[in-house]
Amino acid sequence: MTDLDWVPPGIDTTRPSAARVYDYFLGGTHHLPVDRELVGHIEAMTPDIGATMRANRAFLQRAVRFLAGAGVRQFLDIGSGIPATGNVHEIAQAEAPGSAVVYVDVDPVAVEHSRAMLAGVAGTGVILADARDTDRILRETAELGLIDFGRPVAVLLAGVLHFIPDEADPAGLVAALRSAAGPGGYLVISHATADGQPPEVIEAQKLSSRTGTGIVLRSHAEIASWFDGFPLVDPGLVHIPLWRPGPGETVEHPERFGAYAGVGAA
Ligand SMILES: C[S@@+](CC[C@H](N)C(=O)[O-])C[C@H]1O[C@@H](n2cnc3c(N)ncnc32)[C@H](O)[C@@H]1O
């Protein structure tokens, strides 16, 4: 792609972006040579990575459908990414018209695209913020007036917490958002793991630091501990394709998808 009109001013186009790398893996059109170069390196070391990212997106969509079916009408999607087919509001509003969705991302490219795509779409809003700044996220979400924290909220943290290093206290971040979900709300997490993965995955993890937001792979036990107070709905915290697959969907060697997914109920 040579037309860079879609890149907001002030973006460092010499450094890969996690949001654009993910967009590439999902088959989107918003990525730069520097992103594709990194994708090439990562894919050479971990050929399953693209499948894992697509499986992550499919999990998020199944989870949102499940939540809408369970009566949730408010969604706070943190680390929402560049808009792609089957965004959270599209799934939620198809299942439950009138659902409200607030998107949050730290990447201005993702936020600009979300703003452009959501202009005029009722019930949706976008915030540029770091997931670590939970006070700001909750304050700005309340200011948008789309989500009523007195009613159940699904807090979506899909494919984002592995960008939060241990020193930034991801457990504390999740705990701060837990109260926002409220009774009847839900917590959704998907997260990359090294569990059962070959050594190349660890090497590829090191490459991810080039995006400025390196990835931290965590164990099942560590991720499960964040659901404290949010009992996991069936089937628990599992490799992503195993979370309520669609009818007839079977997956061989689900452990090759190096990520876990779970949904907890408040
Ligand atoms: C792998 S994408 C996931 C997109 C979407 N949630 C999904 O699961 O399909 C990760 C997104 O998290 C965003 N991100 C990374 N670190 C973040 C942070 N500290 N705060 C907010 N967003 C962050 C990236 O910009 C990127 O858009």
Side-chain angles (χ1 to χ4, degrees):
M1 175 173 292
T2 52
D3 175 9
L4 297 185
D5 286 354
W6 54 272
V7 178
I11 300 291
D12 181 358
T13 54
T14 64
R15 195 162 194 191
S17 129
R20 294 192 312 254
V21 166
Y22 188 59
D23 179 72
Y24 176 89
F25 278 118
L26 293 186
T29 54
H30 296 100
H31 35 80
L32 301 173
V34 69
D35 305 307
R36 294 190 287 276
E37 188 191 331
L38 179 59
V39 165
H41 290 307
I42 297 176
E43 264 189 326
M45 297 167 95
T46 54
D48 286 336
I49 189 83
T52 298
M53 296 211 185
R54 289 186 288 277
N56 177 67
R57 189 74 180 172
F59 154 72
L60 176 63
Q61 295 168 342
R62 292 196 303 279
V64 170
R65 241 175 246 120
F66 162 81
L67 295 167
V72 176
R73 299 291 177 264
Q74 308 189 105
F75 298 82
L76 179 55
D77 183 4
I78 301 175
S80 46
I82 293 172
T85 311
N87 290 292
V88 168
H89 73 282
E90 293 164 327
I91 307 276
Q93 294 181 348
E95 295 288 316
S99 292
V101 180
V102 172
Y103 292 103
V104 181
D105 205 286
V106 75
D107 187 329
V109 173
V111 168
E112 285 301 313
H113 280 291
S114 301
R115 290 214 168 105
M117 198 192 74
L118 297 171
V121 179
T124 63
V126 191
I127 294 171
L128 175 66
D130 193 307
R132 286 167 263 212
D133 198 348
T134 51
D135 286 350
R136 176 172 170 192
I137 290 174
L138 297 179
R139 188 183 64 247
E140 293 196 11
T141 300
E143 284 167 7
L144 284 174
L146 297 167
I147 285 183
D148 172 1
F149 285 112
R151 292 171 41 227
V153 178
V155 176
L156 313 179
L157 291 162
V160 64
L161 289 173
H162 43 237
F163 293 109
I164 308 295
D166 289 345
E167 53 275 22
D169 187 19
L173 179 167
V174 176
L177 293 169
R178 215 178 271 144
S179 58
Y186 287 85
L187 175 65
V188 174
I189 294 176
S190 60
H191 195 297
T193 185
D195 291 358
Q197 297 294 304
E200 306 86 81
V201 172
I202 315 294
E203 288 306 310
Q205 175 201 9
K206 290 180 191 153
L207 287 180
S208 73
S209 61
R210 288 196 204 166
T211 65
T213 43
I215 286 182
V216 187
L217 304 175
R218 296 193 171 94
S219 68
H220 186 276
E222 199 169 2
I223 301 163
S225 72
W226 296 339
F227 284 97
D228 187 27
F230 270 74
L232 285 157
V233 303
D234 278 348
L237 184 66
V238 292
H239 283 104
I240 38 179
L242 296 181
W243 197 90
R244 298 183 182 236
E249 271 178 21
T250 54
V251 183
E252 284 184 27
H253 303 297
E255 69 286 351
R256 80 186 166 90
F257 295 86
Y260 290 116
V263 176

